[in-house]
Amino acid sequence: AATIVSGAVAERTKFVGYLIYTLAITAFVYPVVVSWFWGGGWLAEQGFVDFAGSGLVHMTGAMAAFMGALVLGPRIGKFAKDGTPRAIPGHSIPLAITGVMVLFIGWFGFNPGSELAADMAVPVLAVITLLAAMAGGAAAMIASWVMMKKPDPSMAGNGVLAGLVAICSGVGSFGMVPALITGAVAGVLVVVAVLGIERVLKVDDPVGASSVHLVCGFWGLVATGLMATDDGLLAGGGADLLVTQV
């Protein structure tokens, strides 16, 4: 939750400011939000489902990231006088994608580890996580190709992360097909969100952190309400879980 903010406010904050923020969110904000579900809070009483934190972790950090970018304003030169955004590319796409792969590997601890037991659910959780990430990366590549007239590797990387974020909520309640659908939709959503936040809202989020973690985190909660094996709307469980997730 704390590290999500760093990318959204990149190049515009002093290190001490980031340390103060990190202390504030980890000491006062995150524990309150987490207590709403993990440990038996009011969301748990409502039947809410967030296995590994699409909302509790990712949306919490991403909302702080979005507000940080909004308050700080854009980097110098990001927007032309008429408001048109200018690309400020990173210095190394291979390093950026290497970072995506490190996160990808880490998610195999994050999601299966949220089982809190070394049982036979762990490999299943790992495969569901893998499928969502693959679908997200492929969908984002295709979406960027269609919308931007060229395949964008940075968008594909964000698509992998978008799939991983979205699957966190329902990873314990999904089969293979819902995992692929969740990841694919997240991959498309992240491209649309990155372009929308930059072009419409005029918020400078250099790495698309708000799009990946906030927009796709929310989609993950909704996807759980739609496709959870036992209680999802599309699985014949009615709308109760979907309403709770929203």
Side-chain angles (χ1 to χ4, degrees):
T3 57
I4 289 168
V5 176
S6 62
V9 301
E11 304 178 34
R12 288 163 290 168
T13 56
K14 293 182 178 180
F15 185 53
V16 66
Y18 183 70
L19 291 179
I20 292 170
Y21 147 76
T22 301
L23 179 63
I25 193 171
T26 56
F28 302 108
V29 178
Y30 180 74
V32 172
V33 175
V34 167
S35 72
W36 294 345
F37 178 58
W38 290 329
W42 68 274
L43 279 177
E45 294 172 357
Q46 300 296 319
F48 181 73
V49 177
D50 194 357
F51 187 87
S54 289
L56 299 174
V57 179
H58 295 282
M59 287 185 68
T60 300
M63 183 58 74
F66 178 79
M67 294 309 299
L70 181 66
V71 170
L72 284 170
R75 292 167 290 175
I76 295 172
K78 175 60 182 177
F79 294 102
K81 289 183 179 180
D82 64 357
T84 303
R86 297 190 182 104
I88 305 178
H91 77 283
S92 174
I93 290 295
L95 278 180
I97 299 302
T98 300
V100 170
M101 292 298 103
V102 171
L103 285 167
F104 194 170
I105 294 168
W107 240 277
F108 289 115
F110 186 53
N111 280 4
S114 294
E115 173 71 1
L116 302 180
D119 56 27
M120 289 309 298
V122 168
V124 176
L125 294 169
V127 171
I128 296 300
T129 300
L130 173 69
L131 292 173
M134 290 164 46
M141 177 69 83
I142 294 169
S144 69
W145 205 337
V146 170
M147 287 186 265
M148 301 163 63
K149 308 306 179 186
K150 63 179 181 180
D152 187 325
S154 64
M155 284 292 191
N158 267 348
V160 171
L161 299 181
L164 289 167
V165 168
I167 201 62
C168 285
S169 173
V171 66
S173 308
F174 281 173
M176 291 187 293
V177 173
L180 289 168
I181 294 172
T182 299
V185 172
V188 175
L189 277 177
V190 75
V191 177
V192 174
V194 165
L195 297 177
I197 287 173
E198 184 177 88
R199 297 177 182 180
V200 179
L201 300 181
K202 307 298 183 185
V203 174
D204 183 13
D205 182 350
V207 301
S210 304
S211 304
V212 170
H213 299 275
L214 182 58
V215 174
C216 295
F218 181 70
W219 158 241
L221 297 181
V222 172
T224 303
L226 288 172
M227 295 181 284
T229 303
D230 296 326
D231 304 321
L233 177 64
L234 300 181
D240 289 349
L241 179 59
L242 177 60
V243 171
T244 299
Q245 295 298 98
V246 173

